Amino acid sequence: SDQLDKKSSELEEVRDELEETTGQLTEIETKLDQTETELNQTKTGLNQTERDLKETANRLNETLANLEVKEEELQEIKSNLSGYNCFRMTNSSHWMYSTRDPSSTKS
């Protein structure tokens, strides 16, 4: 009878430990589920950020291409004007252009 009580007491302790372990495992499982949810949300956010960055890169590339075209246009204008001196007459709203040859003047 004494041994039976001792075994019963040991079984009770084991059962208590199992319940405690089961509770801890349930907590861990819940935390893992929460972590998985957070990771999925982070992944979704990163995917959106990646799409936004690609869109921004495309817009920047378009802007760069436009600037390169404008630079070419400015270079063309500059080369067309390279033979002229540009000045403004006093009390005039018009710009005067003269070639390096002082005998020709345009407005």
Side-chain angles (χ1 to χ4, degrees), residues 4-55:
L4 191 60
D5 286 345
K6 188 176 177 185
K7 284 290 182 192
S8 179
S9 176
E10 286 174 7
L11 282 173
E12 189 75 28
E13 283 180 36
V14 168
R15 190 175 62 87
D16 289 346
E17 286 176 18
L18 277 174
E19 283 179 7
E20 186 179 333
T21 303
T22 301
Q24 290 171 344
L25 287 172
T26 301
E27 283 178 36
I28 290 169
E29 187 178 18
T30 301
K31 286 179 184 177
L32 284 172
D33 287 344
Q34 289 171 346
T35 302
E36 183 181 17
T37 300
E38 290 168 6
L39 285 173
N40 286 334
Q41 290 170 347
T42 300
K43 183 179 175 184
T44 301
L46 287 173
N47 287 338
Q48 181 62 50
T49 300
E50 182 182 22
R51 286 191 297 273
D52 292 347
L53 286 172
K54 284 179 180 176
E55 191 178 310

Side-chain angles (χ1 to χ4, degrees), residues 86-104:
C86 183
F87 58 92
R88 200 169 192 168
M89 299 295 285
T90 310
N91 296 326
S92 171
S93 61
H94 298 293
W95 286 92
M96 301 293 290
Y97 302 94
S98 70
T99 62
R100 303 233 186 274
D101 173 6
S103 63
S104 93

